[in-house]
Amino acid sequence: MDASTARMRLESTLTEIDRSIVVLRGDPSARGDLPGSDAGSVMTDTDRDRALLEAAVQHRRAVVEAITRLDGGRYGLCVDCGAAVPEGRLQARPEAERCVPCQSRRERRR
C-alpha cells in the first residue's frame, strides 16, 4: 500500500474512532431513572460501554502509532523483526505493526 493511501485510510479510521469515543463517553445519567428491575441491565450496558470504550481507545492508540511509523518511514515494517508486513495484512488492518509470524508468537505468549 502506498504512503498516501495508507495515510488516508489511517486518518479516516482515526476520525471514525474519535466519533465512537465521543458517543461512548456520553453521560450515563442520560439513560434516565429506570425501575429497580432494570438496574441489572443498566449495569450490563455500562460494563459493555466501558469495554467498548477501552477497545476504541486501544485501537486509536494503534492507529496513531501507525501514523507515527508512516511519518518516520517505518510503516509496513514489522516492529519486532523489521521484515515487511504483507500487503494483504495492511489492506485488512492498516494499523498492523507486526508481520504474521511475529504477531502469532505474540498472541501465543498471552
Side-chain angles (χ1 to χ4, degrees):
M1 176 182 326
D2 66 71
S4 64
T5 301
R7 181 173 302 283
M8 183 180 68
R9 290 190 64 202
L10 289 165
E11 289 177 352
S12 174
T13 300
L14 191 59
T15 299
E16 291 173 23
I17 294 169
D18 286 343
R19 280 190 207 129
S20 295
I21 289 173
V22 167
V23 169
L24 290 167
R25 285 188 174 154
D27 183 5
S29 66
R31 295 177 193 258
D33 292 330
L34 297 174
S37 63
D38 292 336
S41 67
V42 171
M43 181 58 84
T44 300
D45 289 346
T46 301
D47 292 342
R48 183 200 68 228
D49 290 349
R50 187 174 301 127
L52 289 170
L53 177 60
E54 183 178 323
V57 168
Q58 289 175 357
H59 190 196
R60 185 183 196 287
R61 186 176 308 118
V63 171
V64 168
E65 289 171 358
I67 292 171
T68 301
R69 287 192 306 279
L70 185 62
D71 291 342
R74 303 275 307 150
Y75 181 78
L77 300 176
C78 178
V79 297
D80 291 345
C81 71
V85 176
E87 183 74 19
R89 181 160 169 74
L90 292 174
Q91 288 290 334
R93 296 189 55 99
E95 72 278 6
E97 62 183 354
R98 290 181 177 79
C99 63
V100 175
C102 287
Q103 184 65 38
S104 293
R105 276 192 296 276
R106 181 178 174 86
E107 289 173 3
R108 279 193 305 265
R109 280 186 255 154
R110 287 185 191 179

